[in-house]
Amino acid sequence: MSEAVRVLLDESRIPRNWYNIVADLPAPPPPPLHPDTLQPVGPDDLAPLFPMELIAQEAGSERFVAIPQSVRDVYRLWRPTPLIRARRLERDLGTPAKIYYKYEGGSPSGSHKPNTAVPQAYYNAREGIRRLTTETGAGQWGSALAFACAQYGIECEIWMVRASYDQKPHRRSLMRMYGATVHASPSPVTAAGSRILADHPDSPGSLGIAISEAVEVAGADPEVRYALGSVLNHVLLHQTVIGEEALEQMAAFGEVPDLIVGCAGGGSNFAGLTFPFLREKLAGRMNPVIRAIEPEACPSLTRGTYAYDFGDAAGLTPLLKMHTLGHDFVPDPIHAGGLRYHGMSPLLSHVYELGLFEAAARGQTECFEAGLRFARTEGIIPAPEPAHALAEVVAEALRCKETGEPKVLLTALCGHGHFDMNAYDRYLSGEMEDLSLPQEQIDTALAGLPTL
Amino acid sequence: MSEAVRVLLDESRIPRNWYNIVADLPAPPPPPLHPDTLQPVGPDDLAPLFPMELIAQEAGSERFVAIPQSVRDVYRLWRPTPLIRARRLERDLGTPAKIYYKYEGGSPSGSHKPNTAVPQAYYNAREGIRRLTTETGAGQWGSALAFACAQYGIECEIWMVRASYDQKPHRRSLMRMYGATVHASPSPVTAAGSRILADHPDSPGSLGIAISEAVEVAGADPEVRYALGSVLNHVLLHQTVIGEEALEQMAAFGEVPDLIVGCAGGGSNFAGLTFPFLREKLAGRMNPVIRAIEPEACPSLTRGTYAYDFGDAAGLTPLLKMHTLGHDFVPDPIHAGGLRYHGMSPLLSHVYELGLFEAAARGQTECFEAGLRFARTEGIIPAPEPAHALAEVVAEALRCKETGEPKVLLTALCGHGHFDMNAYDRYLSGEMEDLSLPQEQIDTALAGLPTL
C-alpha cells in the first residue's frame, strides 16, 4: 500500500474548542431584529426558547468557545471522523486531481447533525430543562436531537412534516428508537396545528407549520425549550469541529486544499467544514477557493436576495438578514430534504457578502448520478444533500482531467443515504426529473418580504 | 477524558494474513462427501462453481494465508474497523463488567460480509471469470457481493428470496446501486425457477430455491461462477481479519477477554471474531470462555444433531458434516434473516465438537430489547443478528452486577440495522412475539436427513 487512504485521529484529538468566525471578520454580521420594534433582539426575547448559554453563544464574538468535557465525551462515540482520499473515484474519473472527503455519516444518526444536537441537549439539561421540542422535515435533525436527548436523559418531542411522516417511516422509527415522541404536523396537540387541521384535515404540512407547533409548546412551559438544527450562529459554531479536524488531517496527508466544496441548505454543514479553513485563508496561511453548492430547486444564494426576512413560513421568528427566496417560497419536493429551506444562515450570508466564498447550483439528477458513481467506487451511499457537493467535485475533477491540473479537492460527505433508498430507486428507474424554477415564482415569493 | 473509548488502527495494521484454524486443531474436520459416491469431494467436483484458488483455500491446512495486496487495498475503504468500549451501556446497566465491541457496520454494505466478498470477487476476476451468481435472503450478502464485483469490474447476478424481495425493497435497491442484477426467486430465467413457478406462481421462495437458481446458472457457463457468503471454510478464513484486528486492539486497551460472545447463523461472523482468540487459547496465552448465540427459532447448535446433511434445501450440494436441524427445516420468519439457516458451518461444528466453545439460544424480543438499549446508550442501531449477541452480553453484565465481578466482555457488532427498521417498528409497537419451537418440528425435519 503506497499513499495513505484514510487519516484517523485518536480520540484525544477531538477539538477542545469551537471556532467563532465572527472574531475574524472585517465587519460584524447584521443583528436579528424584533419584527414589531425593528430593534435588535436581546437575550430576554430569546429566553423562552433557548437556554442562556446558547443565547450567549448566539451573540458571542470570542474567537474560541471551549467544548464542555461532557460534550467531548459523547463526541467520542463517533469523533474524530475520518478524512478519506477517494483514490478509487479518482481512478474511475481518470483525473490528476486528488479528492479528499470528510465523512460524518458514521455518527449515531448518520449525519453531521449530532455535532450540535449534543451540546444543545447538554446546555438545556444543565439549565434544568425537562424537554426539548423541535421540527423536522426529512428527519435527519429530529433523529440527531432524539439521540442527544437520550444521552442527557431529557425528553424530546418532534413535529415531523406530515408528508415526510407518511413517506419516510424509517426516519420516524429511528427517532422513536432513540425514545422521542413524534407527531405528524399539523397535529391536534397544538393550537396552531388544530387551526390548520380544522380548515385542511388532509394538510401535508410544511416546515413552517412544524416550527410554529414546536415553538408554541416550548414557549408555553418554563421547563420546555426549543432547538433548531441549522441557520443560527450557535449551530454553525458547534459544527466547526468538522473543519478543525479536517485541517489537522489534511496536514497529516501533507496537503493544502485548492478547492473546498460543500452543500448548503441552512448552511451548518458548509460553515462547519469551511470556517476553520477560512480562518487560515484570512490569516494568509492558505488560499483555497471555497464553493457552496445549493439545489437548483432552492437557490437562495445564487438567485435569492439579501434582505431581512422571517426564518419561518408563518412569520413568528425574529427578522434575519440573509439570502432568501422569501419566507413564502415553497420549493419543489426534491429528495434532498435538508436543502429545501427558503433562506441561508445569516452568518453565512454575511460571509458570502464579504466575498469570502462563491456559490453554484446543481440539478438533482446530476447529483444522484454523482452519488451512484461514488457508491460504486468508494462504497459509501451518500445522502442526497452531500451528493450535490459530489456532483461539483466530479465536475471539477473532470475539468482537471482536461487541463492536467493536479488540484487538491476537499469536500464534506455530511451523511449516508441509507434512509434515502426510495430516492435512489427513483433515479435508477429513470423516474427522477429536474424541474425548472421560473423566475416569476421567485419574484412572487420575494414580493412577500417584510417591509422595514 | 479518562480511559479510552475507541482504539483505531492505522491502515498499515490491516492484517497481512488470514488465519486457518485447521492447522491448530487436534483433529482435522471431516471432509465433505459427494452425495452419489459418498467419497470426499475433490477439486474437480467444485471447479464448475468456484475458482481454483478458493477451492485450494477450502481444503487448505496451512496456518496462514497471505491476503493479496489488491484485497488489502479494497479493505482500506473501511478497515481496520474500530474496537469500542461501551462505557455508556456499562453505566446504564450499572455493571462492573467492561464491555468491548468490534464494529463491522462501517463497511460499504454495512456488515462483515464484504470481508469475504472482496477476496471472492478478486480471485474470480483474476481467473478470468466474467460474472458471479449468488443467492441472498435479507440481502446482507447480496449487497456485499454486488459491491465487491463493482470493485473488480465483474458482473453480479443475484437471486433474492421473493418474500424478502417484496418486503425489503431497500436492500434490493442497494444491490442495484452497486450495479447488480437482482431477480426475485423463484424466477423464470432458470429451469429450476420456472418449474416451481409453473406449479406455484405465487411461491414466496426460499434460500434453497435461490441457491438452486444461482448454482444452475453458474454451472452452465464456463465464464460464470458461484459465490457463497457463509458456511464454507474459505469464507470463515477470510473473516478472521475481524479477530486478528481485535486481538491487537484488546492488547492496546491492555485487556484480556474473559468472555467472547458472537451471534452464529452460518457461522462466519462468529468464527471470524473468535478463531484468532481460540489460537491464543489453544496456545495457552489466554483462557476466555467463548460462546455462540443462536436464535431460539433456528437452534442448530443447541437443538440440532451433528450429522452429514445437504447445505441446501433441494439437496444439490455435497454432504457436509455439521450441526443441523435437517435441510427440510423451515424456521419461523424471524427478523434476523442472517440466522435462519438450517445448518452450521462444518468447520465451526467440528470446533464445537472438540469442546472449544459453548452455545446458547435467545428469543428475538429480548434481542430487540437489547438492541434498543444499545442504540439509546451507544448510538449505533444494531442489526437483528448481532442484537442476539448483545442480549447475551447484557445478561452477562447483569450477572456481573450481582456477583461484583469486573469481567472483560468482547462481542462482534457485525452490522448496523438501518435496513431493518420495519423490524424495530414491530418491536416498538408491541407486535413482535416469540414463538416456541416444538421438538416435533425438529424431529420431523431430522427424519429427512440423508442416510449414508
Coordinates of all heavy atoms in Angstrom, one line a residue, chain A residues 39-89:
Chain A
Q39 N -36.0 46.6 16.5 CA -34.8 46.8 17.2 C -34.1 45.4 17.3 O -34.7 44.4 17.3 CB -35.1 47.3 18.6 CG -35.7 48.7 18.7 CD -34.7 49.7 18.1 OE1 -33.5 49.8 18.5 NE2 -35.2 50.4 17.0
P40 N -32.7 45.4 17.5 CA -32.0 44.2 17.7 C -32.7 43.3 18.8 O -33.0 43.9 19.9 CB -30.6 44.6 18.0 CG -30.5 45.9 17.3 CD -31.8 46.6 17.5
V41 N -32.8 42.1 18.6 CA -33.3 41.1 19.5 C -32.3 41.0 20.7 O -31.1 40.8 20.5 CB -33.6 39.8 18.8 CG1 -33.7 38.7 19.8 CG2 -34.8 39.9 17.9
G42 N -32.8 41.0 21.9 CA -31.9 40.8 23.1 C -32.2 39.4 23.7 O -33.1 38.7 23.3
P43 N -31.3 39.1 24.7 CA -31.4 37.8 25.4 C -32.8 37.5 26.0 O -33.3 36.4 25.9 CB -30.4 37.9 26.5 CG -29.4 38.9 26.0 CD -30.2 39.9 25.2
D44 N -33.5 38.6 26.5 CA -34.8 38.4 27.1 C -35.8 37.9 26.0 O -36.7 37.1 26.4 CB -35.3 39.6 27.7 CG -34.5 40.0 29.0 OD1 -33.7 39.1 29.4 OD2 -34.7 41.1 29.5
D45 N -35.6 38.4 24.8 CA -36.6 37.9 23.7 C -36.4 36.5 23.5 O -37.4 35.8 23.1 CB -36.3 38.7 22.5 CG -36.6 40.2 22.6 OD1 -37.6 40.6 23.2 OD2 -35.7 41.0 22.2
L46 N -35.2 36.0 23.6 CA -34.9 34.6 23.2 C -35.1 33.6 24.4 O -35.1 32.4 24.2 CB -33.5 34.5 22.6 CG -33.3 35.3 21.4 CD1 -31.8 35.3 21.0 CD2 -34.2 34.8 20.2
A47 N -35.1 34.1 25.6 CA -35.1 33.3 26.8 C -36.2 32.2 26.9 O -36.0 31.1 27.4 CB -35.1 34.1 28.1
P48 N -37.4 32.5 26.4 CA -38.4 31.5 26.5 C -38.1 30.3 25.6 O -38.7 29.2 25.8 CB -39.7 32.2 26.0 CG -39.4 33.6 26.1 CD -38.0 33.8 25.9
L49 N -37.2 30.5 24.6 CA -37.0 29.4 23.6 C -35.7 28.7 23.8 O -35.5 27.5 23.4 CB -37.1 30.0 22.2 CG -38.4 30.5 21.7 CD1 -38.4 30.9 20.3 CD2 -39.5 29.4 21.9
F50 N -34.6 29.4 24.3 CA -33.3 28.8 24.3 C -32.7 29.0 25.7 O -33.0 30.0 26.4 CB -32.4 29.5 23.3 CG -32.8 29.3 21.9 CD1 -33.4 30.4 21.2 CD2 -32.8 28.1 21.2 CE1 -33.8 30.3 19.9 CE2 -33.2 28.0 19.9 CZ -33.7 29.1 19.2
P51 N -31.8 28.1 26.1 CA -31.1 28.2 27.4 C -30.1 29.4 27.3 O -29.6 29.7 26.2 CB -30.4 26.9 27.6 CG -30.1 26.4 26.2 CD -31.3 26.8 25.4
M52 N -29.7 30.0 28.4 CA -28.9 31.2 28.4 C -27.5 31.0 27.8 O -27.0 31.9 27.1 CB -28.7 31.7 29.8 CG -30.0 32.3 30.5 SD -31.0 33.3 29.4 CE -29.9 34.7 29.2
E53 N -27.0 29.8 27.9 CA -25.6 29.6 27.4 C -25.7 29.6 25.8 O -24.8 30.2 25.2 CB -25.1 28.2 27.8 CG -23.7 27.9 27.4 CD -22.7 28.8 28.1 OE1 -22.9 29.3 29.2 OE2 -21.6 29.1 27.4
L54 N -26.7 29.1 25.3 CA -26.8 29.1 23.8 C -27.1 30.5 23.3 O -26.7 31.0 22.2 CB -27.9 28.1 23.3 CG -27.5 26.6 23.5 CD1 -28.6 25.7 23.0 CD2 -26.2 26.3 22.7
I55 N -27.9 31.3 24.1 CA -28.2 32.7 23.7 C -26.9 33.5 23.7 O -26.6 34.3 22.8 CB -29.2 33.3 24.7 CG1 -30.6 32.6 24.5 CG2 -29.3 34.8 24.5 CD1 -31.6 33.0 25.5
A56 N -26.1 33.2 24.7 CA -24.8 33.9 24.8 C -23.9 33.5 23.6 O -23.2 34.4 23.0 CB -24.0 33.5 26.1
Q57 N -23.9 32.2 23.2 CA -23.1 31.8 22.1 C -23.6 32.4 20.8 O -22.9 32.8 19.9 CB -23.1 30.3 21.9 CG -22.3 29.6 23.0 CD -22.3 28.1 22.9 OE1 -22.9 27.5 21.9 NE2 -21.7 27.4 23.9
E58 N -24.9 32.6 20.7 CA -25.6 33.2 19.5 C -25.1 34.6 19.2 O -24.8 34.9 18.1 CB -27.1 33.2 19.7 CG -27.9 33.5 18.4 CD -27.7 32.5 17.3 OE1 -27.3 31.4 17.6 OE2 -27.9 33.0 16.1
A59 N -24.8 35.3 20.3 CA -24.4 36.7 20.2 C -22.9 36.9 20.4 O -22.4 38.0 20.3 CB -25.2 37.6 21.1
G60 N -22.2 35.8 20.6 CA -20.8 35.9 21.1 C -19.8 36.4 19.9 O -20.1 36.2 18.8
S61 N -18.7 36.9 20.3 CA -17.7 37.3 19.3 C -16.3 36.8 19.7 O -15.3 37.2 19.1 CB -17.7 38.8 19.1 OG -17.5 39.5 20.4
E62 N -16.2 36.0 20.8 CA -14.9 35.4 21.2 C -14.5 34.4 20.1 O -15.4 33.7 19.6 CB -15.1 34.7 22.5 CG -15.2 35.6 23.7 CD -14.0 36.4 24.0 OE1 -12.9 35.8 24.1 OE2 -14.1 37.7 24.1
R63 N -13.2 34.4 19.8 CA -12.8 33.5 18.7 C -13.0 32.0 19.0 O -13.4 31.3 18.1 CB -11.3 33.8 18.4 CG -10.7 32.9 17.3 CD -9.3 33.4 16.9 NE -9.3 34.6 16.2 CZ -8.8 35.8 16.6 NH1 -8.3 35.8 17.8 NH2 -8.9 36.8 15.9
F64 N -12.8 31.6 20.2 CA -12.9 30.2 20.5 C -13.9 30.0 21.7 O -13.8 30.8 22.7 CB -11.6 29.6 20.9 CG -10.7 29.5 19.7 CD1 -9.6 30.3 19.5 CD2 -10.9 28.6 18.6 CE1 -8.7 30.3 18.4 CE2 -10.1 28.5 17.5 CZ -9.0 29.4 17.4
V65 N -14.7 29.0 21.7 CA -15.6 28.6 22.8 C -15.2 27.2 23.2 O -15.2 26.3 22.4 CB -17.0 28.7 22.3 CG1 -18.0 28.2 23.4 CG2 -17.4 30.1 21.9
A66 N -14.8 27.1 24.5 CA -14.4 25.7 25.0 C -15.6 24.7 24.9 O -16.7 25.0 25.3 CB -13.9 25.9 26.4
I67 N -15.2 23.5 24.4 CA -16.2 22.5 24.3 C -16.3 21.8 25.7 O -15.3 21.3 26.2 CB -15.9 21.5 23.2 CG1 -15.7 22.2 21.9 CG2 -17.0 20.4 23.1 CD1 -15.3 21.3 20.7
P68 N -17.5 21.7 26.3 CA -17.6 21.1 27.6 C -17.1 19.6 27.6 O -17.3 18.9 26.6 CB -19.0 21.2 28.0 CG -19.6 22.3 27.2 CD -18.8 22.3 25.9
Q69 N -16.5 19.2 28.7 CA -15.9 17.8 28.7 C -17.0 16.8 28.5 O -16.8 15.8 27.8 CB -15.3 17.6 30.1 CG -14.5 16.3 30.2 CD -13.5 16.2 29.0 OE1 -12.7 17.1 28.8 NE2 -13.6 15.1 28.3
S70 N -18.2 17.1 29.0 CA -19.3 16.1 28.8 C -19.7 16.0 27.4 O -20.0 14.9 26.9 CB -20.5 16.6 29.6 OG -21.7 15.9 29.3
V71 N -19.6 17.1 26.6 CA -19.9 17.0 25.2 C -18.8 16.3 24.4 O -19.1 15.4 23.6 CB -20.1 18.4 24.6 CG1 -20.2 18.4 23.1 CG2 -21.3 19.1 25.2
R72 N -17.6 16.5 24.8 CA -16.5 15.8 24.2 C -16.6 14.3 24.5 O -16.3 13.4 23.6 CB -15.1 16.3 24.6 CG -14.8 17.7 24.2 CD -13.4 18.1 24.6 NE -12.4 17.6 23.7 CZ -11.2 17.1 24.2 NH1 -11.0 17.0 25.5 NH2 -10.3 16.6 23.3
D73 N -17.1 13.9 25.6 CA -17.3 12.5 26.0 C -18.3 11.8 25.1 O -18.1 10.7 24.7 CB -17.7 12.4 27.5 CG -16.5 12.2 28.4 OD1 -15.4 12.0 27.9 OD2 -16.7 12.3 29.6
V74 N -19.4 12.6 24.7 CA -20.4 12.0 23.8 C -19.8 12.0 22.4 O -20.0 11.0 21.6 CB -21.7 12.7 23.9 CG1 -22.7 12.0 22.9 CG2 -22.3 12.7 25.3
Y75 N -19.1 13.1 22.0 CA -18.5 13.1 20.7 C -17.6 11.8 20.4 O -17.5 11.4 19.3 CB -17.6 14.3 20.6 CG -18.3 15.6 20.2 CD1 -17.5 16.8 20.2 CD2 -19.6 15.7 19.8 CE1 -18.1 18.1 19.9 CE2 -20.2 16.9 19.5 CZ -19.4 18.1 19.5 OH -20.0 19.3 19.2
R76 N -17.1 11.3 21.5 CA -16.2 10.2 21.4 C -16.8 8.9 20.8 O -16.2 8.0 20.3 CB -15.6 9.8 22.7 CG -14.6 10.8 23.3 CD -13.7 10.1 24.3 NE -14.4 9.8 25.5 CZ -13.8 9.1 26.5 NH1 -12.6 8.7 26.4 NH2 -14.5 8.9 27.6
L77 N -18.2 8.9 20.8 CA -18.9 7.8 20.2 C -18.6 7.7 18.7 O -18.7 6.6 18.2 CB -20.4 7.8 20.5 CG -20.8 7.6 21.9 CD1 -22.3 7.9 22.1 CD2 -20.5 6.2 22.4
W78 N -18.3 8.8 18.1 CA -18.0 8.8 16.6 C -16.9 9.7 16.2 O -16.5 9.6 15.0 CB -19.3 9.0 15.8 CG -19.8 10.4 15.8 CD1 -19.5 11.3 14.8 CD2 -20.5 11.1 16.8 NE1 -20.1 12.5 15.1 CE2 -20.7 12.4 16.3 CE3 -21.1 10.8 18.0 CZ2 -21.4 13.4 17.0 CZ3 -21.8 11.8 18.7 CH2 -21.9 13.0 18.3
R79 N -16.5 10.6 17.0 CA -15.5 11.6 16.6 C -14.1 11.2 17.2 O -14.1 10.5 18.2 CB -15.8 13.0 17.1 CG -17.1 13.6 16.7 CD -17.1 15.1 16.6 NE -16.3 15.5 15.4 CZ -16.8 15.5 14.2 NH1 -18.0 15.2 13.9 NH2 -16.0 15.8 13.2
P80 N -13.0 11.6 16.6 CA -12.9 12.3 15.3 C -13.4 11.4 14.2 O -13.2 10.2 14.2 CB -11.4 12.6 15.2 CG -10.8 12.5 16.6 CD -11.7 11.5 17.3
T81 N -14.0 12.0 13.2 CA -14.4 11.3 12.0 C -13.3 11.2 11.0 O -12.3 12.0 11.0 CB -15.6 12.0 11.3 OG1 -15.2 13.3 10.9 CG2 -16.8 12.2 12.3
P82 N -13.3 10.2 10.1 CA -12.2 10.0 9.2 C -12.1 11.0 8.1 O -13.2 11.6 7.6 CB -12.4 8.6 8.6 CG -13.9 8.4 8.8 CD -14.3 9.1 10.0
L83 N -10.9 11.3 7.6 CA -10.7 12.1 6.4 C -10.2 11.0 5.4 O -9.2 10.4 5.7 CB -9.8 13.2 6.5 CG -9.7 14.1 5.2 CD1 -10.9 14.9 5.0 CD2 -8.4 15.0 5.3
I84 N -10.8 10.9 4.2 CA -10.5 9.8 3.3 C -10.2 10.4 2.0 O -10.8 11.3 1.5 CB -11.7 8.9 3.2 CG1 -12.2 8.4 4.6 CG2 -11.4 7.7 2.3 CD1 -13.5 7.6 4.6
R85 N -9.1 9.8 1.3 CA -8.8 10.1 0.0 C -9.6 9.1 -1.0 O -9.4 7.9 -0.8 CB -7.3 10.0 -0.3 CG -7.0 10.4 -1.7 CD -5.6 10.7 -2.0 NE -5.3 10.8 -3.5 CZ -4.2 10.7 -4.0 NH1 -3.1 10.5 -3.3 NH2 -4.0 10.7 -5.3
A86 N -10.3 9.7 -1.9 CA -11.2 8.9 -2.8 C -10.3 8.4 -4.0 O -10.6 8.8 -5.1 CB -12.4 9.7 -3.2
R87 N -9.4 7.5 -3.7 CA -8.5 7.0 -4.7 C -9.2 6.3 -5.8 O -8.9 6.4 -7.0 CB -7.4 6.1 -4.1 CG -6.5 6.8 -3.2 CD -5.5 7.6 -3.9 NE -4.7 6.8 -4.8 CZ -3.6 6.2 -4.5 NH1 -3.1 6.3 -3.3 NH2 -3.0 5.5 -5.5
R88 N -10.2 5.6 -5.5 CA -11.0 4.8 -6.5 C -11.9 5.6 -7.3 O -12.0 5.4 -8.5 CB -11.7 3.6 -5.8 CG -10.8 2.6 -5.2 CD -11.3 1.6 -4.3 NE -10.2 0.7 -3.9 CZ -9.8 -0.3 -4.6 NH1 -10.5 -0.8 -5.6 NH2 -8.8 -1.0 -4.1
L89 N -12.4 6.7 -6.8 CA -13.2 7.6 -7.6 C -12.2 8.4 -8.5 O -12.5 8.6 -9.7 CB -13.9 8.6 -6.6 CG -14.6 9.7 -7.3 CD1 -15.7 9.2 -8.2 CD2 -15.2 10.7 -6.3

